């Protein structure tokens, strides 16, 4: 046998040997998906491996994460990030994918295999394992979650938890009580960290006599006084502790009259015109036998408070305006048209559906009636009483709109907030019932506050430079109704807040110290929700206000308004329009500016032969003078003048979002221009004072501006930023999508198509 030498190995490895020491091998950290909880917030149930649907037709782009239900919100936690989200307003109380339970309108579960769908209510059983969850929200969002990879029992439990906790059975189960108890009160009754909710606000809350006194002096209501007969709510549970009444009415008289008014709601002073006329609101008189006597006594007291002893006229809102059920039905139809139903291919179908909802018709009706009251106060110098059954719903809308049209103070941000606080919160509007926070009685639900905000937006849309705040502010204010931590929107009246918070404090052994009840933060403390940067979105760069600065001949001056200014310069409609009548039945109708009527009908002499009524003369004088943004404002009310509030109704519809378009494009440019003007004015002031402004290129940019978009910023492109859209500052991504709208009625509407009411066509507008 042959002997063979073993061959030497010829393979050479150029790779490093594998590390066998596990201790030296770095392991990537695994981040747990945990919800950020507020004080008093606890996790009720959760399920992992949940998919949040982003696209309409496929799962491409969907987000994976954990769905959590707490006693405050529905929270979706994910490591994935949505594209181009840096423009979205970040709420300090809510995460990017969070929905407050109070905002959930309906909880719908779906099982694909069995083809079943069920709307869950509180304490209901679910007989099938859900594969999909759809949340219909009160702010017009629709959000979908899929449970394809999640545990079926865990998915069922979290759905039942959401349905249960979104429908609390008692006001004290609303999250605000737990939050306030943990956030602001310690174990010894002292304030935690010395926090005083609302204490640093620069606006009145009208919960003390001194604030009513200041309002009396501001409006020059010399013959009115602060009444305190309701201290401790011993007289009426729905009235504030302090309110304003005529000087000639003694407390003893008021106590005698109380029992004859519905819910003991005696007449309340709202506002005084510089000419002495007063705006008053009151409930109806429940005893018919006392009707005439009380009317005479109340009217006599209001007449005595007028310098010229002018007459008093009464407006019965229940007879002249739609009821709360009709308003709710119209709102539901608009939501169905804009959000839920697929957009039809027929333009006539979509526009007629919008018309048949009657929402814009009701907006127009309230604006008309408010304009009629404005005419009485301004033109006829008479006082007006707004009468409603309980004086807690329709009167809130009308009284607020009248004051907004007449008093420029209420068009400032602070003034508007004080107006809502005075005419809604302290006057006892049923926010708990009208918002249906407890989901107890759908018949009591009605979007009166949303209707009011829509009316305000219509006026802003026609007079944008007359208001200090923007439509973003109005939208955020509406959204805050569904964050149940603010006293502003959580109760039916101040007394209910006091009673429930005292009971809650006792049950939880929360020491209140010297306070009567838990102090809930008001929504007006915007720092609780937004950073100063995001709050800058509330500021209107075009605002021409009392303290607005201007430059004349190189000198910085401030605009100042005299008392006569805001009632003397008027703007209205020509007297040739014969559809303006002022009586108990006809409504006030205004024409659009720059009408083609004079060109189409040169022979105006024949029309002018008709005798001109005082109402027509009043509005002819108003339209003939230059516009005064610090004067009286009357909205134009033909159907073509009213528009759908797109940011509010269509902001969550992905197909309706216009990239780099919509009002935000103008806001972007105006903000930059206003910021540049502020910087130039600052430099002028420094030069005038003898000091030369120094510029340091390496210094960080100043953040003192009130504008969201800054001028001359290095990171801001000269053109419209890519991330801006008509939904700014909200993101429609993550809401239920539908098929493309190109060529459909919605696309035409977004491009300028008008919504016409059948009763007033374009032909009628030219008459």
């Amino acid at each position: 046998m042959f002997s063979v030498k073993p061959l030497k190995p010829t393979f050479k490895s150029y790779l490093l040997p594998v590390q066998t020491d596990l201790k030296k091998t770095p392991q990537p950290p695994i981040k747990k998906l945990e919800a950020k909880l507020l004080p008093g917030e606890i996790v009720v149930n959760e399920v992992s491996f949940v998919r949040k649907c982003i696209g309409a037709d496929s799962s491409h782009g969907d987000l994976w994460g954990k769905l959590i239900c707490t006693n405050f919100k529905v929270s979706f936690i994910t490591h994935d990030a949505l594209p181009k989200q840096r423009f979205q307003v970040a709420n300090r109380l809510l995460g990017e994918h969070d929905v407050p339970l109070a905002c959930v309108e309906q909880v719908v579960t779906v099982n694909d295999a069995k083809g079943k769908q069920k709307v869950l209510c509180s304490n209901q059983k679910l007989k099938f394992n859900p594969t999909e969850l759809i949340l219909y929200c009160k702010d017009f969002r629709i959000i979908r979650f899929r449970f394809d990879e999640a545990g079926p029992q865990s998915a069922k439990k979290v759905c039942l938890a959401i349905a249960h906790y979104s429908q609390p059975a008692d006001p004290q189960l609303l999250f605000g009580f737990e939050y306030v108890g943990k956030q602001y009160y310690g174990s010894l009754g002292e304030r935690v960290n010395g926090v005083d909710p609302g204490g640093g606000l620069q606006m009145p809350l009208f919960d003390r006599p001194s604030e009513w006194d200041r309002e009396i002096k501001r409006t020059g209501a010399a013959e009115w006084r602060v009444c305190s007969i309701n201290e401790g709510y011993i007289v009426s549970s729905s009235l504030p502790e302090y309110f304003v009444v005529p000087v000639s009415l003694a407390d003893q008289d008021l106590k005698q009259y109380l029992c004859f008014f519905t819910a003991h709601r005696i007449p309340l002073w709202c506002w005084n015109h510089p000419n002495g006329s007063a705006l008053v609101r009151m409930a109806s008189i429940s005893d018919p036998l006392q009707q005439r006597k009380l009317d005479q006594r109340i009217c006599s007291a209001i007449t005595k408070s007028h310098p010229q002893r002018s007459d008093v006229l009464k407006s019965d809102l229940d007879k002249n305006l739609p009821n709360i059920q009709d308003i709710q039905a119209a709102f539901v139809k608009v939501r169905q048209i804009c959000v839920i139903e697929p957009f039809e291919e027929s333009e006539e179908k979509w526009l007629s559906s919008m018309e048949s909802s009657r929402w814009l018709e009701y907006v127009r009706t309230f604006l008309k009636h408010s304009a009629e009251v404005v005419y009485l106060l301004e033109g006829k110098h008479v006082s007006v009483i707004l009468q409603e059954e309980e004086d807690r719903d329709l009167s809130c809308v009308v009284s607020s709109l009248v004051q907004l049209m007449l008093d420029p103070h209420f068009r400032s941000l602070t003034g508007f907030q004080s107006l809502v606080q005075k005419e809604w919160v302290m006057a006892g509007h049923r926010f708990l019932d009208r918002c249906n926070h407890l989901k107890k009685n759908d018949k009591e639900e009605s979007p009166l506050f949303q209707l009011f905000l829509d009316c305000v937006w219509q006026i802003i849309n026609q007079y944008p430079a007359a208001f200090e705040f923007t439509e973003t502010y109005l939208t955020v204010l509406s959204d805050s109704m569904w964050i149940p931590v603010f006293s502003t929107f959580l109760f039916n009246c101040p007394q209910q807040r006091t009673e429930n918070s005292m009971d809650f404090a006792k049950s939880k052994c929360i020491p209140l110290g010297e306070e009567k009840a838990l102090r809930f933060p008001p929504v007006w403390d915007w720092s609780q929700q937004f950073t100063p940067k995001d709050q800058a979105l509330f500021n209107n760069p075009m605002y021409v206000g009392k303290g607005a600065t201007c430059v004349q001949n190189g000198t910085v001056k401030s605009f100042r308004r005299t008392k006569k200014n805001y009632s003397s310069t008027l703007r209205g409609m020509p007297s040739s329009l014969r559809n303006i009548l002022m009586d108990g039945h006809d409504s006030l109708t205004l024409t659009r500016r720059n009408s083609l009527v004079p060109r189409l009908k040169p022979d105006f002499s024949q029309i002018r032969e008709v005798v001109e009524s005082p109402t027509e003369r009043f509005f002819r004088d108003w339209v003939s003078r230059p516009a005064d943004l610090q004067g009286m404002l009357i909205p134009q009310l033909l159907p073509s003048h009213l528009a759908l509030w797109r940011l509010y109704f269509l902001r969550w519809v992905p197909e309706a979002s216009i990239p780099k378009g919509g009002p935000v494009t103008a806001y972007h440019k105006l903000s930059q221009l206003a910021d540049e003007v502020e910087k130039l004015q600052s430099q002028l002031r420094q030069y005038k004072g003898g000091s030369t402004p120094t510029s340091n290129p390496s210094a960080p940019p100043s953040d003192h501006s009130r504008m969201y978009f800054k001028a001359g910023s290095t990171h801001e492109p000269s053109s419209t930023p890519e991330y801006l859209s008509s939904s700014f500052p909200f993101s429609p991504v993550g809401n239920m999508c539908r098929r493309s709208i190109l060529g459909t009625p919605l696309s035409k509407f977004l491009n300028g198509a008008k919504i016409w009411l059948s009763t007033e066509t374009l032909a009628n507008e030219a008459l």
Side-chain angles (χ1 to χ4, degrees), residues 214-254:
R214 282 196 295 269
E215 185 67 9
I216 290 174
K217 293 177 181 178
R218 189 190 70 83
T219 58
E223 298 299 319
W224 297 81
R225 67 178 180 90
V226 180
C227 177
S228 58
I229 63 173
N230 198 37
E231 276 188 336
Y233 307 102
I234 60 175
V235 165
S236 174
S237 60
S238 62
L239 288 178
E241 288 189 285
Y242 310 101
F243 48 88
V244 178
V245 296
V247 170
S248 59
L249 279 180
D251 288 353
Q252 191 62 33
D253 296 331
L254 292 172

Side-chain angles (χ1 to χ4, degrees), residues 508-580:
K508 297 292 184 179
C509 298
I510 299 175
L512 297 178
E514 297 180 356
E515 296 182 348
K516 298 178 181 179
L518 295 175
R519 284 183 61 87
F520 287 75
V523 73
W524 318 122
D525 184 6
W526 292 107
S527 62
Q528 302 234 1
Q529 293 194 69
F530 304 107
T531 63
K533 169 71 172 176
D534 286 340
Q535 290 181 58
L537 289 169
F538 299 167
N539 302 322
N540 179 13
M542 294 185 292
Y543 176 58
V544 180
K546 183 178 180 180
T549 56
C550 60
V551 180
Q552 295 180 0
N553 299 324
T555 304
V556 179
K557 297 183 178 180
S558 295
F559 175 84
R560 289 293 181 267
R561 171 183 60 83
T562 63
K563 284 188 176 180
K564 292 183 179 180
N565 254 0
Y566 90 82
S567 62
S568 60
T569 305
L570 308 175
R571 186 184 185 190
M573 61 181 303
S575 60
S576 56
L577 298 180
R578 310 313 305 174
N579 56 353
I580 300 184

Side-chain angles (χ1 to χ4, degrees), residues 260-272:
F260 301 116
F261 287 91
T262 302
H264 292 183
R265 290 183 64 90
I266 56 179
L268 303 177
W269 173 86
C270 299
W271 181 78
N272 243 61

Side-chain angles (χ1 to χ4, degrees), residues 580-595:
I580 300 184
L581 297 173
M582 271 298 303
D583 56 33
H585 306 284
D586 295 325
S587 299
L588 179 68
T589 307
L590 306 179
T591 187
R592 67 178 177 183
R593 297 280 293 170
N594 303 323
S595 176

Side-chain angles (χ1 to χ4, degrees), residues 380 447 501 559 591 618 720 749 754:
K380 300 196 71 174
S501 60
F559 175 84
T591 187
F618 174 80
T720 304
F749 168 69
K754 301 276 180 93

Side-chain angles (χ1 to χ4, degrees), residues 407-599:
D407 194 338
H409 167 70
F410 295 124
R411 298 173 213 150
S412 67
L413 183 61
T414 301
F416 181 78
Q417 294 179 162
S418 69
L419 177 68
V420 175
Q421 184 72 23
K422 176 168 65 82
E423 297 298 328
W424 293 79
V425 182
M426 300 308 294
H429 177 65
R430 300 177 183 270
F431 278 110
L432 183 69
D433 294 339
R434 299 300 177 245
C435 296
N436 204 9
H437 287 316
L438 303 182
K439 310 279 196 310
K440 280 188 174 181
N441 191 348
D442 293 341
K443 293 182 179 180
E444 295 292 326
E445 184 175 359
S446 187
L448 288 163
F449 192 66
Q450 288 96 329
L451 176 75
F452 165 66
L453 295 182
D454 200 330
C455 291
V456 175
W457 179 83
Q458 300 291 341
I459 306 176
I460 292 179
N461 195 40
Q462 296 183 25
Y463 303 96
F467 292 82
E468 186 181 13
F469 48 90
T470 62
E471 65 172 337
T472 298
Y473 167 80
L474 296 178
T475 308
V476 168
L477 179 59
S478 177
D479 289 346
S480 300
M481 297 173 65
W482 317 119
I483 303 179
V485 301
F486 306 114
S487 60
T488 313
F489 305 120
L490 208 55
F491 304 99
N492 286 334
C493 58
Q495 186 270 346
Q496 188 186 52
R497 175 190 65 83
T498 301
E499 181 180 310
N500 280 275
S501 60
M502 287 179 63
D503 293 343
F504 180 82
K506 290 180 181 179
S507 65
K508 297 292 184 179
C509 298
I510 299 175
L512 297 178
E514 297 180 356
E515 296 182 348
K516 298 178 181 179
L518 295 175
R519 284 183 61 87
F520 287 75
V523 73
W524 318 122
D525 184 6
W526 292 107
S527 62
Q528 302 234 1
Q529 293 194 69
F530 304 107
T531 63
K533 169 71 172 176
D534 286 340
Q535 290 181 58
L537 289 169
F538 299 167
N539 302 322
N540 179 13
M542 294 185 292
Y543 176 58
V544 180
K546 183 178 180 180
T549 56
C550 60
V551 180
Q552 295 180 0
N553 299 324
T555 304
V556 179
K557 297 183 178 180
S558 295
F559 175 84
R560 289 293 181 267
R561 171 183 60 83
T562 63
K563 284 188 176 180
K564 292 183 179 180
N565 254 0
Y566 90 82
S567 62
S568 60
T569 305
L570 308 175
R571 186 184 185 190
M573 61 181 303
S575 60
S576 56
L577 298 180
R578 310 313 305 174
N579 56 353
I580 300 184
L581 297 173
M582 271 298 303
D583 56 33
H585 306 284
D586 295 325
S587 299
L588 179 68
T589 307
L590 306 179
T591 187
R592 67 178 177 183
R593 297 280 293 170
N594 303 323
S595 176
L596 295 177
V597 175
R599 282 180 265 171

